[in-house]
Amino acid sequence: MKLPPIAAIRAFEAAARHQSFTRAAEELGMTQAAVSYQIKLLEERIGVPLFVREPRQVTLTAAGRKLSPKVTEALDLLGSAFVEVVEKPDLHLIISVLPTVASTWLVPRLSSFQAANPEIRIKVHTSNDLVDFAREDIDIMIRGSDNVLPEHEVFALFPMEYAPVCTADFRERHSIVNPVDLLKIRRFGAQSWWASWLAGAGVQTGDDNRMDLVVGVQTIDVALTLQGQGVAMVMPIFFADEMKSGRLIRPFQYVGRDDRSYSLVYPKSRHRSRKIRLFRDWVIAEAEATRSAFAAIPNQ
């Protein structure tokens, strides 16, 4: 079968991804009528409808849902092929990373990757938002595994294991002996993690689900904790140095867990990219070494 016109394929891919002819037109720099026309040509070419057209929206048909991810992957692969042909020896790798992962773990280790791969220049973006690889100039992201799509390659780096941390002095001054004592002091961190951890530790919170301060960045929560202002709910593995030195302690050994992980993510269509493969292999090895080293830290 001869391929349909590339303009029609691109119009379909964008409209399917956005579930909107209008947003597809904005992305492609076309009119909505032109997008609709290109998709109609495609439907006539293959002989099946791809969208159900309703007054205020369009939705994919079964055929459209089947075709959409394959078309996206094919266009990504085609784009990657052209990029690799024109890539200069001085390559750029753009990574989007969660702020805590970037500041506490990734950035301090990047010098070893750059020493081994001097031709690759790294640019780090910090963000909590999900990356749209089709629209953003990002090669790789590190995110929670619940924020990935079927067209992504996903490599787990750190399981989501969280626990309260504080200074030894704070524990003594506030007589923190049992998990229920945590309800009486200032608490920082994600409310969902606190609720899950307290429930798992056997604490009945009732209606006391308030948080004294919600920042959304674990490094800031830990900075407040190190000042003796309260207890932070964090992933202790990202603060291994503070734990090893004794600046931070875990007042209780119970660790909260869920089935998510912090993961390395990139489009399946880019799996042949040399710069991505090099970084992937390096970061997986670094994460494994970090997990091993953290497991060896004695419990307080």
Side-chain angles (χ1 to χ4, degrees):
M1 178 181 178
K2 289 182 62 178
L3 282 175
I6 189 66
I9 295 174
R10 290 180 67 235
F12 165 72
E13 191 279 334
R17 179 158 35 84
H18 292 297
Q19 296 282 288
S20 166
F21 286 4
T22 300
R23 293 182 62 189
E26 292 172 355
E27 176 180 319
L28 298 174
M30 303 168 64
T31 64
Q32 181 181 352
V35 168
S36 179
Y37 174 73
Q38 290 294 338
I39 292 172
K40 183 173 178 61
L41 286 181
L42 182 60
E43 290 173 325
E44 292 175 350
R45 179 70 172 269
I46 64 177
V48 294
L50 298 172
F51 289 94
V52 176
R53 294 157 173 84
E54 299 174 355
R56 295 185 177 274
Q57 65 177 5
V58 294
T59 56
L60 287 165
T61 63
R65 290 194 299 272
K66 183 177 180 180
L67 187 62
S68 175
K70 296 179 180 178
V71 169
T72 297
E73 183 176 355
L75 287 177
D76 281 347
L77 185 59
L78 184 61
S80 296
F82 281 100
V83 168
E84 290 182 5
V85 167
V86 300
E87 274 184 338
K88 300 177 181 179
D90 184 19
L91 303 177
H92 286 78
L93 181 68
I94 305 176
I95 308 166
S96 178
V97 189
L98 295 164
T100 293
V101 180
S103 60
T104 65
W105 185 77
L106 180 63
V107 172
R109 289 168 169 78
L110 278 178
S111 60
S112 68
F113 176 81
Q114 292 175 308
N117 303 277
E119 77 282 8
I120 298 177
R121 294 189 177 184
I122 292 178
K123 185 173 184 179
V124 177
H125 289 173
T126 58
S127 174
N128 289 312
D129 298 330
L130 183 62
V131 170
D132 183 348
F133 287 109
R135 301 189 67 178
E136 299 179 58
D137 189 17
I138 301 291
D139 296 302
I140 295 172
M141 69 176 176
I142 296 179
R143 290 292 190 278
S145 58
D146 54 332
N147 291 321
V148 299
L149 301 172
E151 60 264 28
H152 292 161
E153 292 278 9
V154 183
F155 299 87
L157 301 177
F158 301 104
M160 285 203 183
E161 298 180 341
Y162 43 90
V165 298
C166 63
T167 64
D169 179 68
F170 187 89
R171 178 178 62 179
E172 297 303 319
R173 283 191 293 110
H174 293 270
S175 302
I176 299 174
V177 178
N178 299 303
V180 71
D181 297 331
L182 295 170
L183 296 181
K184 299 180 296 184
I185 50 84
R186 295 190 76 203
R187 290 180 282 139
F188 314 127
Q191 185 171 348
S192 60
W193 282 5
W194 270 109
S196 176
W197 189 93
L198 288 167
V203 178
Q204 299 296 322
T205 61
D207 296 328
D208 186 12
N209 290 315
R210 65 178 176 81
M211 295 303 304
D212 293 285
L213 181 63
V214 178
V215 178
V217 180
Q218 294 179 51
T219 48
I220 297 178
D221 295 332
V222 164
L224 293 170
T225 301
L226 288 171
Q227 294 173 9
Q229 295 193 32
V231 177
M233 183 66 68
V234 300
M235 286 182 59
I237 196 168
F238 292 138
F239 304 94
D241 290 343
E242 290 84 353
M243 304 285 290
K244 188 174 182 179
S245 68
R247 295 176 64 211
L248 281 181
I249 65 166
R250 280 189 294 158
F252 305 102
Q253 296 309 310
Y254 174 68
V255 175
R257 298 179 175 87
D258 59 36
D259 58 359
R260 297 174 298 160
S261 64
Y262 282 177
S263 301
L264 178 76
V265 182
Y266 57 85
K268 291 180 179 179
S269 59
R270 302 182 192 175
H271 72 280
R272 292 187 178 88
S273 170
R274 178 176 174 271
K275 64 182 181 182
I276 288 179
R277 293 199 310 269
L278 288 170
F279 185 80
R280 175 199 64 197
D281 294 346
W282 173 83
V283 83
I284 289 173
E286 286 291 321
E288 182 177 357
T290 299
R291 295 195 304 270
S292 298
F294 182 75
I297 297 176
N299 292 331
Q300 289 82 10

